Amino acid sequence: MTTTKGRPDSNKAENPVRLASIGAGMIGHVHARIAAGMNECEYVALCDEEPAKSRMAEELGARYYSDLRRMIDNEKLDGVIVSLPNELHESVGSVCAESGLHIMMEKPIAPTVEAAENLIRSANANGVKLLVAHHRRFNPMVVATRDM
C-alpha cells in the first residue's frame, strides 16, 4: 500500500474504499483532501469541468477527468463525493447510482423535493447508499452554540 505521494504507509487499510470526487470548488477541495488523507480510502480520481483542477488532482495523487462518464468507465470505484451546484445533484447523483456507486452528496440533497425524491429512488433502485453531508453539524463553533 502506498500513500498519495508514493511512500509506503503501513497504516493504510488492507482493502481501502476507492473514492473519487466530482466537483473541486471550495468544499469539493476540502472533501478531496480529507479523502486523500484517510487510511480507509484510496482517493483515485477527481472530476471537474475546469482543466485547471488537474493540478489539484495531481497534488493529491489522483487522476483528473473532465468527463464524469469517462471517469466512471475508466476507474474501479466504490463511491463518489459529489460537491457540485445544487441543480446538478439529481442528474449527476443518478448517473453515479446507476453505475453502482455509493454517494456522499454535499447538502442540500437537491434543489427541489421532486429532484430529491428522484435521486433517492435512483439510489434505492440501484442498491447504493446515499449520504447527505452535514459536516457543519460537527463544527466546534456549531457544537458550542448548540450547547449554550
Side-chain angles (χ1 to χ4, degrees):
M1 192 61 49
T2 59
T3 66
T4 57
K5 298 294 183 188
R7 294 183 304 272
D9 185 349
S10 60
N11 294 324
K12 283 288 185 182
E14 185 74 25
N15 293 307
V17 175
R18 291 178 56 85
L19 290 178
S21 57
I22 304 165
M26 184 176 69
I27 195 63
H29 187 131
V30 171
H31 288 312
R33 287 203 179 281
I34 291 170
M38 293 180 67
N39 292 332
E40 301 83 6
C41 300
E42 182 179 357
Y43 183 71
V44 297
L46 180 149
C47 183
D48 193 285
E49 290 181 343
E50 187 179 322
K53 299 297 182 178
S54 63
R55 183 162 170 82
M56 183 177 131
E58 183 181 326
E59 290 170 1
L60 295 173
R63 284 171 289 289
Y64 167 78
Y65 292 90
S66 61
D67 181 86
L68 173 63
R69 291 183 191 275
R70 180 175 282 155
M71 180 183 75
I72 291 171
D73 289 344
N74 289 345
E75 301 295 339
K76 184 178 183 210
L77 299 170
D78 297 310
V80 293
I81 302 166
V82 180
S83 303
L84 292 169
N86 301 342
E87 62 272 9
L88 297 175
H89 287 189
E90 177 191 6
S91 61
V92 169
S94 293
V95 166
C96 294
E98 290 162 9
S99 299
L101 300 174
H102 300 291
I103 304 161
M104 183 178 97
M105 181 69 67
E106 184 54 47
K107 63 176 178 30
I109 188 171
T112 67
V113 171
E114 179 183 13
E117 289 172 344
N118 289 339
L119 179 53
I120 292 166
R121 270 193 295 279
S122 182
N124 288 336
N126 291 288
V128 300
K129 295 183 183 349
L130 171 62
L131 167 74
V132 180
H134 289 280
H135 52 85
R136 288 196 177 122
R137 173 179 289 177
F138 304 102
N139 179 302
M141 290 187 301
V142 172
V143 172
T145 303
R146 186 174 42 234
D147 289 346
M148 286 199 241

